[in-house]
Amino acid sequence: AWSTREWRRLLHPAPVVGLLLTAGIFAAWAVPYFRAPETKQAAEVWKRQGIERFTESEFNAENYFTNLPRALADQLPWVLLAPVLVLAVRRKTAGDLTAVMRGAAFAVGGAFVLVLLIPGTLPRYVLPLGGPFAVLLA
């Protein structure tokens, strides 16, 4: 909560270590990938696909507005347990574990929604979020 100045907890080393770890994992893939000769062709494909996502060539209103329900259906039956997760995250008794769960739940939920907001995205693109969601439910 911003009013209670809890944002200062972001100055703790843990978020910085998490960001560095994330960057390191990405770098372990990116450095060898971008040194490969095929990278230029792949970069052109990525560029074209990125431009098409935000132009009318890939946009289909019917698919765009049904992405969220279809993605939720892809997560069945586990998504039916989401209210249990919400109740667990709201509990204040578990201390640090609750904070970790809350952060992970917001990250999974936020990524789920943000990925589906990109025009031209298919609901299957959020299927990898089922793993972190299952860990949270456990």
Side-chain angles (χ1 to χ4, degrees):
W2 295 103
S3 61
T4 60
R5 299 195 186 259
E6 289 184 27
W7 57 270
R8 290 185 183 185
R9 291 171 42 179
L10 291 175
L11 299 176
H12 189 273
V16 175
V17 169
L19 290 173
L20 290 175
L21 183 61
T22 302
I25 291 170
F26 177 73
W29 165 82
V31 170
Y33 178 79
F34 285 110
R35 290 186 177 187
E38 302 87 19
T39 302
K40 185 173 183 177
Q41 181 183 1
E44 289 297 321
V45 171
W46 288 355
K47 179 180 173 183
R48 180 181 47 79
Q49 288 177 344
I51 291 170
E52 287 176 356
R53 294 268 185 236
F54 295 98
T55 62
E56 293 184 23
S57 63
E58 289 251 343
F59 184 77
N60 181 342
E62 180 182 338
N63 288 341
Y64 183 73
F65 293 115
T66 60
N67 270 351
L68 185 61
R70 291 185 322 175
L72 288 172
D74 286 345
Q75 300 293 336
L76 284 173
W78 311 114
V79 77
L80 298 175
L81 298 173
V84 174
L85 181 61
V86 170
L87 291 175
V89 166
R90 288 189 173 190
R91 289 180 51 198
K92 302 285 185 189
T93 58
D96 290 338
L97 182 59
T98 303
V100 170
M101 285 180 58
R102 185 178 296 121
F106 282 119
V108 169
F112 189 87
V113 171
L114 287 175
V115 167
L116 293 175
L117 287 177
I118 299 172
T121 299
L122 299 174
R124 70 172 181 243
Y125 295 166
V126 296
L127 286 175
L129 293 173
F133 183 59
V135 170
L136 285 169
L137 287 172

